[in-house]
Amino acid sequence: MEVYNNDNQRDQTEAVKQFFANNGKALAVGAVIGIAALVGWRFWVNHQQNDALASSDRYQQLTSTLKADNPASIQALASFVDHDKTSYGALASLTLAKTYVDKNDLQNAAKILEQGLQDSADQSLQAVIRLRLARVQSELKNPDAALKTLDAVKGDNWTGLAADIRGDILLNKGDKQGAAAAWRQGIKSEVSPAVKQMMQTKLNNFS
């Protein structure tokens, strides 16, 4: 048994030596590539974090100084939305759109919200933008576009709010039955008691 163990160990040693003789260069190259990839990944993560911090700081600065009667502050935030392709750019589009709505500039409000949709992959943030956009599109007398926008809202948390807006749009189109159906669906969804009560009040107006 001892002779067998010694021979087996020698065979294993020779096999290891042969493996490294045949593959040593490839292993060395692989190790270098692996280290380079790790260093590159850490650099990319740090770069992303630094960019996010810079975007956050710039977003806070621009939104805190935004004034409806100050065209320069509006233009500065619009430029930020144009160039910052992150969730902060998308958040800024919501703030800027509200300013446009307050100024009754609905065309620019719709345009900036559509742009904000492209800047974030966050489902909840996209849902909020779409809900706002649907409202604006409805005010622009484009109910079909507004309903299409609502169709793209994802997530159970937003079903009730989308149903409430859908009901309003359908009612404005003269579709009372469709509006009532939308509000009934909204009442059954996961939504705040206040919104449920609001939809119930709208339903009661039909009785």
Side-chain angles (χ1 to χ4, degrees), residues 43-64:
F43 174 81
W44 183 83
V45 169
N46 289 335
H47 179 70
Q48 291 292 101
Q49 291 175 339
N50 290 336
D51 282 353
L53 287 173
S55 293
S56 175
D57 289 343
R58 185 63 174 157
Y59 167 77
Q60 294 289 345
Q61 176 190 355
L62 291 173
T63 54
S64 64

Side-chain angles (χ1 to χ4, degrees), residues 11 20 22 27 29 53 63 73 78 88 96 108 110 125 148 152 179 193:
D11 290 344
F20 277 104
N22 294 335
L27 288 172
V29 172
L53 287 173
T63 54
S73 69
Y88 289 103
L96 186 57
N108 269 327
L125 182 52
K148 185 176 180 180

Side-chain angles (χ1 to χ4, degrees), residues 18-145:
Q18 189 62 38
F19 174 80
F20 277 104
N22 294 335
N23 301 283
K25 184 176 181 180
L27 288 172
V29 172
V32 171
I33 293 175
I35 292 171
L38 179 60
V39 171
W41 168 254
R42 288 179 176 174
F43 174 81
W44 183 83
V45 169
N46 289 335
H47 179 70
Q48 291 292 101
Q49 291 175 339
N50 290 336
D51 282 353
L53 287 173
S55 293
S56 175
D57 289 343
R58 185 63 174 157
Y59 167 77
Q60 294 289 345
Q61 176 190 355
L62 291 173
T63 54
S64 64
T65 58
L66 178 66
K67 293 182 179 180
D69 59 351
N70 185 340
S73 69
I74 295 175
Q75 183 55 46
L77 190 57
S79 179
F80 178 76
V81 174
D82 284 339
H83 295 94
D84 191 281
K85 303 305 177 182
T86 70
S87 291
Y88 289 103
L91 284 169
S93 74
L94 285 167
T95 303
L96 186 57
K98 183 180 183 304
T99 301
Y100 285 138
V101 169
D102 291 342
K103 293 169 66 68
N104 202 32
D105 187 353
L106 299 179
Q107 291 288 354
N108 269 327
K111 180 181 177 180
I112 207 70
L113 288 170
E114 288 169 352
Q115 186 172 341
L117 278 176
Q118 309 303 317
D119 294 338
S120 176
D122 183 84
Q123 184 172 290
S124 293
L125 182 52
Q126 285 191 341
V128 173
I129 294 174
R130 285 192 168 99
L131 293 173
R132 301 275 182 90
L133 177 59
R135 289 284 194 192
V136 172
Q137 289 170 329
S138 179
E139 290 295 320
L140 285 168
K141 310 302 180 185
N142 196 349
D144 292 335

